[in-house]
Amino acid sequence: MMTPPGLCPTLVRPEMFNSRVYQVAHPSTHSIIKRFIDIVGSIVGLVILSMVFLPIAIAIKLDSPGPIFYTQERCGLQGKPFKIRKFRSMVSNAEALKSRVKNEAKGLIFKNENDPRVTRVGNFLRKTSLDELPQFWNVLKGEMSLVGTRPPTFDEVSQYKEHHWRRLDVKPGITGLWQVSGRSSIKDFEEVVGLDLNYQRNWHPIYDIYLILKTIEVVLLRKGAY
């Protein structure tokens, strides 16, 4: 089967052409208010990024050889692929070393509280969430939202079961209900999915604002980040 233009190859299933993925749009995907919040928030985020970019870039380079950014293709709204960028927080050959690190999570996510691939600067960037700042560009472009679901990788999506696909009914977000409910301390993929779907059921622009404010609190207190 040929892959429909703009769709992640791993997302193609025989039943998809008549599935809810193409027929049902979550209200958040066409909300003018949500998009306005995203644009304003992304501009503020990019201003902050411009102020801290140089010191972070220098710190990454001095701490570990390799690029400043970590770039990876992810699956977004209704399976549309896009490139996500973060400040690099691991050694440059982290993917090659992944098989040597124990996965402490359950299901389709990978987590290790003391991952040896994380650099000293990377550890600080993760705890302060500064590594996420480049994603505000994705929000401004409309590929992501300030609030949404965690953007999955191709490998993750290739193993999805039926109920997991509903996560793709909204734009992926820099933050979300999972972010304010434990962040990295949540180690069960089904719990992440449950939080993502709960967000969809309860979505409202005011709910997004609440989660943004809650995220600021969580980040400042460094709750659940590693």
Side-chain angles (χ1 to χ4, degrees):
M1 179 184 297
M2 293 182 64
T3 304
L7 189 70
C8 293
T10 54
L11 294 184
V12 179
R13 302 176 298 165
E15 66 272 26
M16 279 192 69
F17 296 101
N18 296 312
S19 74
R20 64 188 303 277
V21 174
Y22 287 104
Q23 297 174 11
V24 178
H26 189 269
S28 66
T29 62
H30 50 76
S31 169
I32 296 176
I33 298 176
K34 182 176 177 66
R35 182 57 185 154
F36 175 77
I37 294 172
D38 282 347
I39 292 173
V40 173
S42 63
I43 291 173
V44 172
L46 290 171
V47 169
I48 296 173
L49 173 61
S50 69
M51 293 188 293
V52 301
F53 175 81
L54 188 57
I56 290 178
I58 292 173
I60 291 173
K61 281 294 191 180
L62 291 177
D63 185 47
S64 171
I68 295 171
F69 295 112
Y70 170 73
T71 304
Q72 187 179 47
E73 199 164 35
R74 299 287 185 96
C75 289
L77 176 64
Q78 295 185 339
K80 186 176 181 179
F82 72 100
K83 287 186 178 180
I84 195 172
R85 288 179 178 83
K86 298 183 179 184
F87 282 119
R88 183 172 59 86
S89 61
M90 289 187 172
V91 294
S92 57
N93 61 336
E95 286 300 319
L97 299 174
K98 185 175 180 179
S99 61
R100 302 182 186 180
V101 181
K102 180 182 178 181
N103 185 10
E104 298 175 344
K106 178 182 179 182
L108 305 181
I109 50 176
F110 188 95
K111 293 182 182 293
N112 185 292
E113 189 169 355
N114 298 298
D115 196 323
R117 300 173 299 165
V118 178
T119 63
R120 289 173 299 175
V121 170
N123 184 56
F124 172 77
L125 294 176
R126 288 186 169 205
K127 287 186 179 297
T128 57
S129 295
L130 289 172
D131 61 320
E132 308 280 358
L133 286 176
Q135 293 175 64
F136 282 109
W137 178 244
N138 295 109
V139 176
L140 186 62
K141 291 172 64 180
E143 297 168 334
M144 293 181 66
S145 176
L146 293 178
V147 185
T149 60
R150 187 183 63 83
T153 63
F154 284 10
D155 290 342
E156 178 184 319
V157 172
S158 68
Q159 302 177 65
Y160 269 8
K161 295 180 180 178
E162 189 63 32
H163 66 287
H164 298 153
W165 292 81
R166 293 172 53 200
R167 300 181 67 244
L168 304 179
D169 287 348
V170 299
K171 285 183 181 180
I174 292 181
T175 188
L177 188 56
W178 48 271
Q179 177 85 341
V180 303
S181 301
R183 301 174 76 184
S184 296
S185 63
I186 299 177
K187 297 182 178 181
D188 188 333
F189 178 66
E190 292 301 330
E191 185 176 352
V192 173
V193 173
L195 290 169
D196 285 342
L197 299 185
N198 190 47
Y199 165 73
Q200 292 186 29
R201 286 190 293 270
N202 295 294
W203 177 80
H204 188 276
I206 295 177
Y207 191 40
D208 272 5
I209 294 174
Y210 164 76
L211 290 175
I212 291 169
L213 295 175
K214 192 68 176 177
T215 298
I216 294 173
E217 176 190 345
V218 168
V219 169
L220 290 176
L221 296 178
R222 302 186 186 182
K223 293 181 178 179
Y226 58 79

